[in-house]
Amino acid sequence: MIVVKDVSKQYGDFTALEDISLEFSNGLYGLLAPNGAGKTTLIKMLATLISPSSGEIQYNGENIIAMDQRYRELLGFLPQQFGFYKNYSPAQYLLYLAALKGIPKQQARLKIDELLAKVALSDVKHKKMKKFSGGMIQRVGIAQALLNDPKILILDEPTAGLDPKERARFRHLLTDLARERLVIISTHIVSDIESIANEIIMIKNKRLLYKDSVEQICDTLHNAVYETTVDFGQLDEFRKRHVLLSEKQEYGKMIVRFIHKGEKKDGWIPVQPQLEDVFLYEYQDEMIEGL
Amino acid sequence: MQIVWNEIKKILTWKSLLLLLIINCILYFFLIDFYIKHFPNGRPALDSYRLGIEMIEKYGPTMDDEEFKDFMKTYEVRVKEADRYLQTEKVAVAEGIDTYEKFNSYEWFKASKEAGELRDRLFFEDGTDLFWELQERSRLIGFYEGKEMYSSNATPAQLKRYEELAKEGVFGTYPEVAISNFRDYITNVAVAILFSVVAVMSLAILRDRTRHIVSLQYTARKGRNLLKTKLLAGFVSTLLVITGLLVIYMGLYSLNDTSMYFNVRVNTFIGNESWYNPTFFQYILFTIGGIYLVGIVFGLAAMGFSTIVPNTLTLLGAQIPFVRAFSFSACTD
């Protein structure tokens, strides 16, 4: 079990994360927040790439920094920017990383074959990666994270560059993996984790906002998400007064999905809140700033 | 061991070996080729080289007073040969330069056209080595008789050392052509090797950083200790590059055929004062050791820069002053 205890991270005067406390046991956790919210900082601390400015992270009661090699032996990590050598083939590169992970060569070769088959790259295992698409590179990244059969798998934006089919395949893979290990996925794409995560962690204003199941997080908007039909002429006014989640044109009118926490009006149909609704609601200010 | 080997393979790729080849081809033709192609470079360097070999064969790596007498005797025999040669030349007889002594003391700046033509013919057209050889013998005799080292601009400590050496019978006697050629050659070789080492080692660590591979490496079991392994791999690669290039360059140097001079001590060569007095061969070994030392320092410095600078351009900018300073000081010394 990983316990994050009152962790803060500062870079000079800038605070990236403040007073975060979390607990992780086996299962799949989705770390969901917009870009720049501090997800990668938390991921980097969990991967021991950076140390907390205050607080500590423990694995089974032991500080992960102090565990050093013993912790990294348990760790599989896919960084946000997966780097590789263009002139290496996937097999060569995985063999290189396997050596760094302390896996004997013969054992590594077998594991590499198995993993490349799992990520559908067996056919190109000896081809140089410089000709690979973004999705293929990302699949190599996923394979490398699994090389040492990690107990803790941390994936930072793992679906970047994957097409919808690859994403679906990846979700299945993660579901299988999370049965017997701890998997933490950082993403800003709600659909990547909504259907597979046991728990969602959301960070807002450098602090922990939610750590709960999808259902419970969605419950925070219970009876607050509606759909209604709006004339084109009223749309601008409607946008100003409500948090719009989606807009769809149909038969010359607009069907809008929105959040309203006050009294329900006629013609508003209450709908089941989705994780994306919560995400859009909670980060509406940050997303407007980001535009 | 596997990790070190992997890191070495990352440094010594076919691309970096191609870069080495290009750098060394360019520098070879600009800086080094001359010292192989043109050794000994013209006259009297050729005579100097030949006389040096003759002296080593006859007297060994040093020449004492008794041996010098023999050297003088040979000189006199060769002078007589020159006399006989001049007496067969009508122009020489007509101009009154029918002996080598007269030939030597002749006021050539006032020479008639015929005398000038005779001199040119003797030195440059007839293929006669005798007059070149005598000039060089005469120069060597002058140095032996002077029995002293050059002492211009010498500090008191250096003068004291020269006196000590002179008392031991160590002074510049043997022709300097071989060691001077080696000094010029090895200086330029050192510059080529230094450039090669810096070029190959510079990107060793930066490359992983710019390609975002460090986070993968540091989260693997090996962790941040990998930096030490990278430095070790860089050190080994530096040694391999230096050794490879030295093998090639010393192989090329062997074409100069100076091995006969190897047992002669540095201070026995004219104008080669040294605090220590190693043999020419030991001197070669010292310079090779020096190249390894400087190469390793620059290789490690290149890797050091590689760990801190943000990109290749900054890396080049940071290193150019150091490499230029070394090249400049090496080439001007």
Side-chain angles (χ1 to χ4, degrees):
Chain A
M1 179 192 268
I2 290 183
V3 179
V4 178
K5 276 188 176 172
D6 308 322
V7 162
S8 298
K9 182 68 190 175
Q10 284 189 302
Y11 297 100
D13 291 338
F14 175 74
T15 304
L17 279 177
E18 206 171 339
D19 210 18
I20 300 278
S21 292
L22 293 164
E23 279 185 17
F24 301 96
S25 50
N26 280 1
L28 203 151
Y29 295 83
L31 182 54
L32 187 65
N35 288 331
K39 295 190 302 284
T40 297
T41 303
L42 180 58
I43 288 290
K44 280 184 175 174
M45 286 194 282
L46 288 166
T48 67
L49 284 170
I50 54 174
S51 303
S53 304
S54 63
E56 70 168 344
I57 302 175
Q58 294 178 339
Y59 177 77
N60 289 345
E62 215 176 331
N63 186 305
I64 60 169
I65 303 285
M67 281 177 78
D68 196 30
Q69 207 173 74
R70 282 185 294 121
Y71 178 73
R72 291 194 303 274
E73 275 174 348
L74 307 170
L75 184 68
F77 178 58
L78 175 65
Q80 192 172 15
Q81 282 180 298
F82 171 64
F84 62 98
Y85 303 115
K86 287 179 184 171
N87 284 318
Y88 277 42
S89 67
Q92 272 177 307
Y93 192 42
L94 293 181
L95 205 55
Y96 168 78
L97 292 171
L100 296 182
K101 288 172 187 253
I103 305 168
K105 214 169 179 176
Q106 282 310 314
Q107 193 185 322
R109 283 184 203 282
L110 295 173
K111 190 73 184 171
I112 288 165
D113 285 343
E114 178 198 321
L115 288 171
L116 287 176
K118 208 172 244 182
V119 295
L121 288 174
S122 295
D123 293 348
V124 290
K125 73 180 218 179
H126 295 304
K127 294 258 192 297
K128 286 186 176 172
M129 288 196 281
K130 65 180 167 190
K131 292 185 177 168
F132 281 18
S133 67
M136 289 164 90
I137 296 294
Q138 200 65 1
R139 281 186 272 156
V140 177
I142 292 160
Q144 68 77 30
L146 299 171
L147 267 174
N148 54 331
D149 207 6
K151 293 234 180 315
I152 305 158
L153 184 61
I154 299 175
L155 310 166
D156 195 1
E157 305 281 0
T159 54
L162 299 185
D163 62 31
K165 194 176 154 196
E166 287 170 332
R167 278 170 193 248
R169 192 186 170 96
F170 177 64
R171 282 196 292 269
H172 295 319
L173 176 65
L174 285 183
T175 313
D176 288 345
L177 291 169
R179 274 187 213 148
E180 49 197 28
R181 50 172 68 76
L182 163 58
V183 181
I184 302 171
I185 303 170
S186 154
T187 185
H188 62 278
I189 302 166
V190 177
S191 60
D192 279 352
I193 48 171
E194 187 171 27
S195 59
I196 55 170
N198 300 94
E199 282 196 339
I200 301 290
I201 296 148
M202 289 168 85
I203 296 169
K204 190 178 179 185
N205 297 331
K206 335 283 184 202
R207 290 174 175 272
L208 182 67
L209 179 66
Y210 294 119
K211 182 182 178 285
D212 238 321
S213 66
V214 174
E215 293 73 26
Q216 279 169 313
I217 291 175
C218 289
D219 260 1
T220 59
L221 288 182
H222 184 65
N223 284 338
V225 183
Y226 299 93
E227 276 188 4
T228 190
T229 307
V230 180
D231 290 332
F232 281 115
Q234 298 172 303
L235 190 59
D236 280 346
E237 186 58 29
F238 201 88
R239 278 179 186 149
K240 280 179 200 162
R241 292 169 55 194
H242 303 284
V243 179
L244 254 65
L245 302 169
S246 69
E247 300 169 13
K248 190 169 68 178
Q249 194 182 326
E250 215 170 272
Y251 307 115
K253 290 207 167 191
M254 293 299 291
I255 299 174
V256 292
R257 183 183 175 98
F258 64 100
I259 294 173
H260 180 82
K261 286 208 161 173
E263 204 173 303
K264 174 182 174 286
K265 291 189 179 169
D266 287 343
W268 291 6
I269 304 158
V271 291
Q272 184 65 36
Q274 304 291 312
L275 186 61
E276 187 152 3
D277 301 334
V278 182
F279 183 83
L280 290 170
Y281 176 71
E282 293 294 352
Y283 299 114
Q284 52 185 306
D285 297 338
E286 283 160 61
M287 284 188 285
I288 288 164
E289 276 170 27
L291 285 176
Chain B
M1 199 59 209
Q2 180 63 38
I3 298 172
V4 178
W5 175 235
N6 284 344
E7 294 302 322
I8 291 173
K9 281 197 289 185
K10 273 166 54 189
I11 296 169
L12 300 178
T13 60
W14 65 266
K15 272 188 189 169
S16 61
L17 295 178
L18 187 67
L19 180 68
L20 272 187
L21 184 72
I22 293 167
I23 289 173
N24 283 276
C25 281
I26 293 170
L27 292 178
Y28 179 77
F29 288 111
F30 277 106
L31 297 177
I32 299 165
D33 179 46
F34 176 83
Y35 300 101
I36 301 291
K37 215 178 200 171
H38 303 287
F39 175 76
N41 184 20
R43 313 300 286 263
L46 175 63
D47 309 274
S48 195
Y49 170 78
R50 285 176 181 162
L51 269 180
I53 293 171
E54 182 193 305
M55 290 163 80
I56 292 161
E57 281 172 355
K58 273 187 166 177
Y59 315 126
T62 54
M63 185 166 71
D64 59 22
D65 287 349
E66 282 306 307
E67 288 161 338
F68 179 65
K69 281 179 193 164
D70 180 72
F71 188 78
M72 283 297 291
K73 215 180 275 174
T74 311
Y75 175 69
E76 281 152 18
V77 169
R78 298 294 278 160
V79 166
K80 276 177 189 156
E81 276 177 40
D83 289 348
R84 281 199 295 277
Y85 190 93
L86 287 167
Q87 280 150 19
T88 61
E89 289 288 341
K90 282 180 191 163
V91 177
V93 175
E95 292 286 332
I97 44 176
D98 55 351
T99 65
Y100 183 69
E101 195 185 344
K102 288 177 188 170
F103 180 87
N104 238 0
S105 55
Y106 188 75
E107 292 177 328
W108 287 102
F109 59 94
K110 291 183 190 168
S112 66
K113 192 183 167 206
E114 291 76 16
E117 282 172 357
L118 170 70
R119 187 190 55 180
D120 290 349
R121 186 156 54 75
L122 287 178
F123 278 98
F124 303 109
E125 291 163 25
D126 274 2
T128 317
D129 294 332
L130 185 59
F131 289 85
W132 286 111
E133 182 194 318
L134 282 168
Q135 252 186 7
E136 183 58 16
R137 279 187 189 276
S138 170
R139 187 179 79 98
L140 296 178
I141 289 166
F143 272 103
Y144 190 88
E145 286 175 338
K147 287 195 181 199
E148 57 189 32
M149 317 290 283
Y150 282 121
S151 54
S152 56
N153 301 324
T155 62
Q158 285 169 327
L159 283 171
K160 197 180 161 199
R161 174 68 179 148
Y162 293 152
E163 282 164 20
E164 279 170 19
L165 288 167
K167 270 183 203 164
E168 290 165 20
V170 178
F171 45 86
T173 318
Y174 279 47
E176 68 280 31
V177 61
I179 195 166
S180 300
N181 165 265
F182 176 75
R183 275 191 172 159
D184 293 335
Y185 179 78
I186 204 74
T187 302
N188 290 301
V189 164
V191 170
I193 289 178
L194 185 66
F195 266 101
S196 305
V197 165
V198 170
V200 172
M201 301 316 301
S202 286
L203 294 176
I205 293 170
L206 178 66
R207 200 183 281 139
D208 283 353
R209 207 143 39 86
T210 54
R211 289 182 184 174
H212 308 289
I213 292 167
V214 174
S215 55
L216 287 174
Q217 294 169 331
Y218 284 4
T219 51
R221 180 175 178 267
K222 180 79 180 170
R224 286 165 200 272
N225 279 335
L226 182 65
L227 182 62
K228 286 181 201 158
T229 310
K230 283 182 185 178
L231 291 175
L232 175 64
F235 177 74
V236 174
S237 303
T238 303
L239 289 182
L240 288 173
V241 168
I242 296 174
T243 305
L245 290 173
L246 275 174
V247 166
I248 294 168
Y249 282 123
M250 294 319 281
L252 287 169
Y253 178 71
S254 70
L255 299 173
N256 279 2
D257 202 15
T258 56
S259 58
M260 299 74 80
Y261 286 91
F262 281 179
N263 289 328
V264 177
R265 290 193 174 271
V266 167
N267 283 331
T268 308
F269 288 108
I270 292 164
N272 281 273
E273 301 89 357
S274 160
W275 280 102
Y276 305 100
N277 193 19
T279 64
F280 184 26
F281 185 67
Q282 286 167 338
Y283 177 74
I284 290 173
L285 295 181
F286 286 144
T287 55
I288 288 173
I291 287 173
Y292 270 107
L293 197 68
V294 176
I296 288 165
V297 168
F298 271 79
L300 291 176
M303 282 189 288
F305 282 122
S306 193
T307 55
I308 49 176
V309 296
N311 53 49
T312 312
L313 208 61
T314 318
L315 181 65
L316 290 175
Q319 290 187 102
I320 285 171
F322 292 94
V323 178
R324 264 198 74 179
F326 178 83
S327 307
F328 181 74
S329 75
C331 292
T332 50
D333 274 353

